[in-house]
Amino acid sequence: MSTEFTRNFCIIAHIDHGKSTLADRLLELTGTISKEKMQAQVLDDMDLERERGITIKSHPIRMAYRAESGSEYQFNLIDTPGHVDFSYEVSRSLAACEGAILVVDASQGIEAQTLTNIYLALDNDLAIIPVLNKVDLASARPEEVRRQVSELLGVDPASIIACSAKSGLGVPPILERVIVDVPQPAGDPEKPLKALIFDSKYDDFRGAVAYVRVFDGTLRKGDVISFMSTGREYEVDEIGFFRMGRVPLDVLSAGEVGYMVANIRTLTDIKIGDTLTTRLNGTSEAVPGYREVKPMVFSGIYPVDKSDYENLRGALEKLKLNDSSLSYEPETSSALGFGFRAGFLGLLHMEIVQERLLREFDVNIITTVPNVKYKVTLKTGEESFVESPAKMPSPGEIEFISEPMVKLQVISPTDYVGSIMKLCEEKRGAMLPMEYLETTRVCLHYRMPLAEMIIDFFDKLKSCSRGYASMDYELDGYDRDNLTKLDILINGTPVDAFSSIVHRDKAFAFGQEITSKLKDLIPRQMYEVAIQAAIGNKIIARTTVKPFRKDVTSKCYGGDISRKRKLLEKQKEGKKRMKQVGNVEIPQEAFLAVLSRD
């Protein structure tokens, strides 16, 4: 088919604004899937995606559409993730398109990720088609939200399409607008092959499957191709396009979206955002925008049952085949035994991985406190990155520690500005210019440490704004600050799973909080258990779990006091011996309690 009748576009939206539901209606309207086989969020093939109402992986699909003019069009739709953790994947999916349908909930209005997705679309020079969804809800404010979108994009309010993706009301005009507003793909089939890899998935029988958009040239079965970032070469076994499954083809030409199978057994050979070309007479010009995806949040993962270690290793290996952004390496903890230190894109990514380990592989795990990657400058001038507090050098060797910073964007009704500002200041945030989107909605900008944001910031933001505030963030380099490592000692022995990097001004309060929580959770022993928080050799907080005590003097109801003292001294010596050989069992609740800092 000529590129004149091809349109490549995606759907972008804030979480739960109806992106996947709109995709369902487009599939029905174009006859790509019959009503008998239809189900909610049909492109979301994971149960977890359907339950949470979020898209985790990109889902491309080809649709055939007969326009009102009578012409037959080929639509390549890419359903993108909506969460900030997957913003790089979203940016690569946008790079594979010429247009984007921007979905805004008519009852919620513009939210933080709506703005972020608009900026990503504008950075990729995409044609944006604004759509108001859920206009049939009783709480919908279509005219007010229409005005917000109009002012933001600088478009005529009358050109914004109103629809209900659930009922199908107002959906057909969207496809006609795609034909008019989205330009046909540029590219020359005669030029050397240049194709963008915008996603990938692992197939147990065929190996890694690359999702590609061809910009120039032609990709054929049997070609020997090369990945520009790694230099790895493979022979193409199969190419094709996506319908409700993979449909093989002989050729993918400039402007088309499809997949490529080349017996690639390691997913790490395929980098999202990389450029694909032929080994002979290939292009020397890569598709711009590629970068390595680096994990931002790190956590220890340990099996609850020590005998499950090999099962956990196998589960992580299989999970990584379908999630190239997950990274892990073996780690040993004196308290938790053998496990892994895993890196995630963000807290949602971490939550999804934990859930999949339990559901898909039936592995019960304990996770340690999430932390970030710090940059440590030693007194020798050497710099290193530290992902785990347990690997932090001793305080005497450190010149200073730098922590990752983020630029935070919070959109909220004006009623909650005071409580949000107070929360951000508690989290060591520095305020940047504030802007009013309209008289009742404001956009707050802050710069704050990533470590302060990853534990409970989102929950507290929703709580202090009654659920109305939305947030988005992007990384903004490293800042030097007065940071230190805080150790938790149980009977004088450091428990590495409880170690954390904290700001020195907050260390005393945090140490008191953790030790008092552990006092309630660690079971009593026959001897006294001391729980201490320490910075280096300095103890800054302590609580004590009192021992069980047998009344050994109960049989002494007369005579000299020295009899009682002798029995108490004997008991004291026995408890001392018991303490030397005794191990304190730390329950799983104690590790989970460190996460909830209310």
Side-chain angles (χ1 to χ4, degrees):
M1 181 179 282
S2 165
T3 56
E4 180 188 348
F5 298 103
T6 301
R7 298 291 184 271
N8 300 321
F9 65 98
C10 59
I11 305 177
I12 54 175
H14 187 85
I15 283 180
D16 204 31
H17 277 214
K19 177 167 51 68
S20 296
T21 310
L22 179 59
D24 291 349
R25 298 292 81 74
L26 297 180
L27 293 175
E28 272 185 2
L29 200 62
T30 55
T32 308
I33 185 168
S34 63
K35 287 193 176 182
E36 293 75 31
K37 294 183 179 178
M38 195 66 204
Q39 59 176 335
Q41 295 171 258
V42 69
L43 291 182
D44 295 341
D45 51 14
M46 274 193 273
D47 290 339
L48 206 53
E49 291 180 306
R50 292 201 182 92
E51 283 174 25
R52 289 176 174 244
I54 58 175
T55 301
I56 297 167
K57 292 282 288 180
S58 293
H59 298 278
I61 192 161
R62 181 179 289 190
M63 304 181 291
Y65 176 65
R66 183 170 293 279
E68 290 176 359
S69 63
S71 300
E72 187 83 24
Y73 282 85
Q74 180 192 105
F75 286 165
N76 291 306
L77 164 66
I78 300 174
D79 186 23
T80 60
H83 197 273
V84 62
D85 282 5
F86 308 108
S87 58
Y88 176 66
E89 285 90 333
V90 174
S91 74
R92 296 301 83 209
S93 297
L94 295 180
C97 302
E98 281 75 37
I101 297 173
L102 172 69
V103 179
V104 181
D105 188 326
S107 60
Q108 298 289 331
I110 290 171
E111 299 198 59
Q113 283 161 236
T114 314
L115 285 178
T116 303
N117 287 327
I118 288 172
Y119 296 145
L120 282 173
L122 293 174
D123 286 346
N124 285 282
D125 297 323
L126 299 192
I128 298 176
I129 302 170
V131 171
L132 289 190
N133 190 24
K134 305 185 185 181
V135 292
D136 54 348
L137 289 182
S139 58
R141 303 171 285 126
E143 294 312 312
E144 186 184 329
V145 176
R146 190 187 291 272
R147 191 181 67 253
Q148 289 177 19
V149 177
S150 167
E151 290 171 0
L152 180 64
L153 295 177
V155 297
D156 180 3
S159 67
I160 300 171
I161 301 170
C163 78
S164 167
K166 194 164 190 177
S167 67
L169 173 73
V171 174
I174 296 173
L175 291 174
E176 291 296 322
R177 279 285 294 279
V178 167
I179 294 169
V180 175
D181 289 5
V182 177
Q184 70 182 69
D188 185 350
E190 303 305 318
K191 282 187 174 181
L193 176 65
K194 181 168 74 173
L196 168 72
I197 300 170
F198 63 87
D199 207 347
S200 60
K201 190 173 183 177
Y202 192 80
D203 184 295
D204 289 336
F205 302 103
R206 306 300 305 275
V209 180
Y211 296 7
V212 297
R213 155 69 199 273
V214 182
F215 282 95
D216 284 320
T218 304
L219 180 62
R220 293 182 175 85
K221 184 179 176 180
D223 283 350
V224 177
I225 49 95
S226 169
F227 298 114
M228 291 188 79
S229 70
T230 61
R232 300 300 295 270
E233 296 179 352
Y234 292 95
E235 183 177 336
V236 178
D237 284 344
E238 180 182 313
I239 56 174
F241 66 90
F242 298 94
R243 191 136 282 161
M244 292 314 296
R246 297 198 296 263
V247 181
L249 282 176
D250 292 327
V251 173
L252 276 178
S253 296
E256 291 191 297
V257 174
Y259 69 89
M260 181 215 57
V261 177
N263 197 27
I264 303 166
R265 290 296 164 190
T266 44
L267 201 63
T268 49
D269 284 354
I270 298 180
K271 309 280 187 184
I272 294 175
D274 196 4
T275 303
L276 184 74
T277 189
T278 47
R279 182 179 66 182
L280 300 175
N281 304 317
T283 184
S284 58
E285 179 188 347
V287 178
Y290 169 72
R291 60 181 171 84
E292 287 278 349
V293 182
K294 294 180 180 174
M296 288 295 111
V297 175
F298 296 86
S299 175
I301 296 180
Y302 296 86
V304 172
D305 184 347
K306 303 291 187 291
S307 62
D308 273 347
Y309 175 74
E310 286 303 324
N311 294 339
L312 177 59
R313 180 198 292 277
L316 285 169
E317 283 174 0
K318 289 175 183 172
L319 203 55
K320 185 169 173 60
L321 292 174
N322 278 320
D323 186 356
S324 57
S325 49
L326 170 67
S327 63
Y328 65 92
E329 59 182 33
E331 182 180 65
T332 307
S333 163
S334 56
L336 299 171
F338 292 103
F340 298 90
R341 164 73 34 179
F344 310 94
L345 298 174
L347 277 187
L348 176 73
H349 186 212
M350 174 178 160
E351 217 176 301
I352 287 164
V353 168
Q354 290 173 10
E355 191 75 24
R356 290 183 71 184
L357 284 172
L358 180 61
R359 286 189 185 200
E360 297 175 24
F361 303 100
D362 198 24
V363 179
N364 285 309
I365 57 171
I366 295 174
T367 55
T368 60
V369 187
N371 55 66
V372 298
K373 185 186 285 188
Y374 292 92
K375 185 162 71 173
V376 180
T377 303
L378 302 177
K379 288 182 176 176
T380 59
E382 184 185 344
E383 285 187 351
S384 63
F385 287 94
V386 175
E387 299 159 4
S388 166
K391 296 179 182 175
M392 187 66 72
S394 64
E397 299 174 19
I398 298 171
E399 183 67 30
F400 61 86
I401 302 172
S402 302
E403 61 183 339
M405 305 294 290
V406 293
K407 277 185 180 173
L408 181 70
Q409 180 178 274
V410 179
I411 294 179
S412 166
T414 50
D415 298 352
Y416 309 110
V417 167
S419 54
I420 291 171
M421 289 172 73
K422 183 182 176 185
L423 172 63
C424 291
E425 283 165 14
E426 284 173 3
K427 297 290 187 180
R428 298 193 284 130
M431 193 171 184
L432 300 173
M434 180 172 71
E435 56 189 302
Y436 279 85
L437 301 175
E438 53 184 342
T439 52
T440 58
R441 283 165 68 83
V442 65
C443 183
L444 297 160
H445 296 275
Y446 272 87
R447 191 168 185 271
M448 71 166 55
L450 177 62
E452 293 284 352
M453 203 190 69
I454 64 169
I455 299 289
D456 58 359
F457 179 81
F458 184 70
D459 292 339
K460 287 188 173 179
L461 176 68
K462 286 294 181 186
S463 177
C464 72
S465 68
R466 297 186 183 177
Y468 285 106
S470 62
M471 60 165 273
D472 197 10
Y473 66 91
E474 62 181 29
L475 288 168
D476 192 38
Y478 279 78
D479 274 10
R480 173 180 175 175
D481 214 330
N482 191 13
L483 302 167
T484 185
K485 179 186 175 186
L486 181 74
D487 286 316
I488 302 296
L489 288 72
I490 308 292
N491 272 351
T493 305
V495 181
D496 48 9
F498 290 140
S499 297
S500 56
I501 310 296
V502 295
H503 195 274
R504 200 173 285 270
D505 294 346
K506 292 189 172 186
F508 176 70
F510 182 60
Q512 275 196 321
E513 190 182 341
I514 297 301
T515 51
S516 60
K517 275 188 179 177
L518 291 176
K519 179 187 176 183
D520 297 332
L521 292 163
I522 290 178
R524 291 175 71 187
Q525 309 291 324
M526 293 301 295
Y527 49 86
E528 184 180 274
V529 178
I531 306 167
Q532 299 166 307
I535 297 174
N537 295 322
K538 183 181 178 183
I539 305 298
I540 62 168
R542 170 180 171 138
T543 57
T544 304
V545 179
K546 295 294 183 187
F548 291 117
R549 181 168 177 176
K550 180 182 177 184
D551 189 359
V552 292
T553 61
S554 61
K555 59 189 175 183
C556 298
Y557 45 85
D560 192 356
I561 188 68
S562 60
R563 288 184 66 202
K564 291 185 178 180
R565 284 183 182 152
K566 187 177 178 182
L567 286 168
L568 289 170
E569 285 297 322
K570 189 177 179 183
Q571 183 188 43
K572 188 177 177 183
E573 285 298 317
K575 284 184 181 287
K576 196 173 178 182
R577 285 195 304 274
M578 201 183 295
K579 190 173 180 179
Q580 287 173 352
V581 298
N583 285 322
V584 180
E585 285 289 329
I586 303 174
Q588 186 177 350
E589 294 78 33
F591 295 100
L592 298 175
V594 182
L595 283 170
S596 54
R597 304 188 203 169
D598 296 326

